[in-house]
Amino acid sequence: MAQPTAAVLTISDGVSAGTRADASGDAAQELLDGAGFAVATREVVADERPDIEAALRRLAASHAIVVTTGGTGFGPRDVTPEATKAVLDREAPGLAELMRAAGLAHTPMAALSRGTAGTIGEALVVNLPGSPKGVRESLEAILPVLPHAMELSEGMTGAHPASGPASRPVASAHPHGEHEDDRVEVTAVKVVAGTPPCKVGMRMTIVPGGPASGTLGCSEFDTQAVEAASTAMQGGNATTTVLHHPDGDVEVFVEPHRAPPRVFAVSATDVARAVRRHLEPLGFRVVVVEPRRERVAAGDEPVVASLDGVALSERDAVVLTDHDAPYASAVLAEAARSKAGFVGMMSSRRHVVRHLDAVRALGLPDDQIARIHAPVGLDLGRKDADGIALSIAAGIVADANGADGGWLDR
């Protein structure tokens, strides 16, 4: 998931004139960087209301959060709160109260801070004091709640009707092989009748049975969108539908996106690498499983040390590519006990019985042993690493599509 972008606006006659260093802006950037924000812009303006208002509007249009430093006190030139309130769509007094409370724990002078906070469009704007110390105390106080505040500002409504825990991510890169969620994009494309509380272009991202982000403008539309998303995911095809509201109707485009199936290639071998080359262009996500870090080479990523903590599903495949690895039997048994839809082991026919006996000795019952494809792959007549990997990949593709991999003309 991309980092939210941030802008730091220093409001100071001295810094603007070049007679004072921007230590407060530096402190704000340091804290935001450390909290996972991408500080894309640093600007300085003098303590002039028109300049402050113009800068806030411009920065809010292209950043998720805008923090200001300076101009929050009682001096005649301290006009930051007035300028900020003039351009806010909605105030967030709780954030300002939280910052003042944090400052009061260190000095009674914090009661003199008049800084405010709120939203301009989807951007969050926060006034910070003008001293580096005040910046740190105030920003550290609100950093834990900023991500959720920004989600709400952007339209995330947490647990929509028929949705699950809002804390789960809707989509992410999953560098360690975690399963990406199936999701459905619902986008308003046309006002059909009346004046519905939804603008063309408003969007929701919905995980059927899970969380939803975004909004179509009201709970009525959001509830109908969740239902439409579930139907579209079951059908598997993009479609349009009309959502209804007492004030008017809107047509939405409903587009399901299936998460890529995963293949866990156990052991960082040439065969595992070749399996990745064959399968990734077909839409599979291949993750190498290798506890022996000295065996991991450049280009093997993503790599996990084990399957511990990986929630395998019916769409996942686990293939052991080194039957002599010291962990081979344990990993094979673990995979066969799991919900993985495909489990296989690379082996010669001569040694299959020995390997399966080793798995049986670990207490795996015969019905689960029967799930193991060993030797794994289709018979292509090739014995080299790339040819073996091609036969394994072909078997996985055939299984994923409910086919036996036989000749089409027989």
Side-chain angles (χ1 to χ4, degrees):
M1 186 176 288
Q3 288 180 297
T5 58
V8 176
L9 177 64
T10 298
I11 300 167
S12 166
D13 290 334
V15 177
S16 176
T19 60
R20 188 160 62 86
D22 188 13
S24 298
D26 293 340
Q29 177 170 354
E30 180 185 347
L31 284 172
L32 289 169
D33 285 340
F37 294 90
V39 179
T41 306
R42 290 274 301 270
E43 290 191 10
V44 178
V45 295
D47 292 283
E48 300 287 348
R49 275 194 61 171
D51 295 344
I52 299 169
E53 292 175 17
L56 286 174
R57 288 193 183 97
R58 177 168 39 78
L59 293 173
S62 56
H63 298 79
I65 181 171
V66 180
V67 299
T68 71
T69 70
T72 62
F74 273 78
R77 297 279 293 169
D78 291 334
V79 295
T80 298
E82 287 75 17
T84 303
K85 290 179 180 180
V87 297
L88 289 180
D89 295 325
R90 293 186 299 173
E91 288 191 55
L95 291 177
E97 292 165 5
L98 186 59
M99 291 188 290
R100 274 187 282 274
L104 286 170
H106 301 276
T107 172
M109 297 300 176
L112 302 179
S113 176
R114 300 185 304 111
T116 189
T119 59
I120 302 176
E122 294 184 353
L124 182 65
V125 179
V126 177
N127 294 159
L128 302 176
S131 70
K133 182 174 181 292
V135 166
R136 293 184 183 279
E137 291 171 357
S138 298
L139 200 48
E140 286 173 350
I142 64 172
L143 277 175
V145 302
L146 283 188
H148 187 55
M150 292 166 62
E151 288 175 357
L152 295 174
S153 174
E154 292 166 3
M156 286 192 178
T157 56
H160 278 280
S163 73
S167 60
R168 290 176 53 211
V170 170
S172 64
H174 298 302
H176 301 298
E178 291 89 341
H179 203 287
E180 298 178 28
D181 289 316
D182 294 337
R183 71 186 194 282
V184 181
E185 302 285 347
V186 182
T187 306
V189 295
K190 182 181 179 182
V191 174
V192 176
T195 55
C198 178
K199 298 178 182 178
V200 171
M202 294 184 75
R203 174 178 306 200
M204 291 182 67
T205 300
I206 300 165
V207 175
S213 66
T215 182
L216 296 181
C218 65
S219 61
E220 290 91 338
F221 280 156
D222 290 353
T223 299
Q224 294 173 62
V226 170
E227 296 170 355
S230 178
T231 301
M233 185 57 74
Q234 292 174 13
N237 298 314
T239 186
T240 59
T241 189
V242 175
L243 308 183
H244 304 284
H245 187 275
D247 293 337
D249 301 338
V250 64
E251 182 179 345
V252 295
F253 179 62
V254 186
E255 184 179 17
H257 298 272
R258 292 285 282 176
R262 298 177 300 179
V263 176
F264 292 88
V266 183
S267 298
T269 64
D270 289 340
V271 171
R273 298 177 185 109
V275 165
R276 168 177 287 156
R277 291 197 300 272
H278 291 310
L279 287 180
E280 287 192 337
L282 301 179
F284 289 81
R285 174 173 170 78
V286 181
V287 180
V288 174
V289 181
E290 178 57 81
R292 300 166 296 185
R293 299 305 300 174
E294 69 277 7
R295 302 287 184 97
V296 178
D300 283 339
E301 297 83 5
V303 180
V304 296
S306 72
L307 292 176
D308 293 346
V310 177
L312 295 170
S313 74
E314 292 81 358
R315 298 182 66 210
D316 295 327
V318 179
V319 178
L320 187 69
T321 67
D322 181 4
H323 55 73
D324 289 326
Y327 50 78
S329 298
V331 171
L332 199 60
E334 179 183 358
R337 291 189 185 101
S338 74
K339 293 181 179 180
F342 184 97
V343 180
M345 176 179 61
M346 189 180 78
S347 172
S348 66
R349 295 184 186 278
R350 187 160 52 95
H351 292 130
V352 165
V353 173
R354 173 170 63 86
H355 295 310
L356 295 184
D357 282 345
V359 173
R360 186 176 286 106
L362 294 175
L364 201 69
D366 287 343
D367 61 329
Q368 292 180 345
I369 291 176
R371 299 184 59 219
I372 301 172
H373 295 270
V376 66
L378 304 185
D379 186 1
L380 303 183
R382 293 278 294 266
K383 302 299 182 184
D384 58 292
D386 202 57
I388 293 171
L390 179 59
S391 75
I392 293 172
I396 291 172
V397 171
D399 183 80
N401 289 281
D404 62 7
W407 288 95
L408 293 176
D409 64 347
R410 297 181 188 176

